[in-house]
Amino acid sequence: MSAADRTGSPAEVRAGLAGWGAPLAFLFDALLVLAFVLAGRGTHSEDGGLAGAAGTAWPFWVALVFGWVLARAWRRPVALWPAGVIVWATTVAGGLALRYLTGGGLAGGFPYVAAGVLAVSLLGWRLVALLAARLRLRRELR
């Protein structure tokens, strides 16, 4: 078997990723949005406990749901493209828009920080999963 044969076809890689399941992937996305909110609130010494965090997170959670629907992410929830990119872009744009429309602040570099942190988290875990699946396929095909 050649080295090219051991890397696995795109279909094999996708098959290796299918075991994650949409509910788990969605929950992970939602928890990453919450982690972003909690880190931001902690950085700015904002209080308010769980209610305060939920008040900051809800626009991004609503946008996350919309992104999942728009991307039909349940079909390939771990796919970086197109599902992950659509989920990320929709979560950022929709979350910022909802936040602005409901009186939330978008001061300074917040939109850039939100886009960057959510890209690293929402796209990053998908990239790690993809690389792990490729490594696993390589090992299985040896």
Side-chain angles (χ1 to χ4, degrees), residues 30-131:
L31 289 173
L32 288 169
V33 169
L34 180 61
F36 158 67
V37 165
L38 292 174
R41 290 179 64 83
T43 299
H44 297 287
S45 302
E46 293 181 19
D47 201 10
L50 189 55
T56 303
W58 79 262
F60 295 95
W61 281 335
V62 169
L64 176 71
V65 170
F66 184 72
W68 265 72
V69 171
L70 184 65
R72 296 180 186 184
W74 57 88
R75 291 182 175 179
R76 291 183 52 215
V78 184
L80 189 60
W81 176 260
V85 171
I86 292 171
V87 166
W88 163 72
T90 305
T91 301
V92 171
L96 291 172
L98 285 171
R99 183 174 165 88
Y100 177 76
L101 292 171
T102 58
L106 298 181
F110 177 71
Y112 302 109
V113 171
V117 170
L118 291 172
V120 168
S121 57
L122 297 178
L123 298 176
W125 79 262
R126 287 174 167 87
L127 180 60
V128 169
L130 175 66
L131 294 174

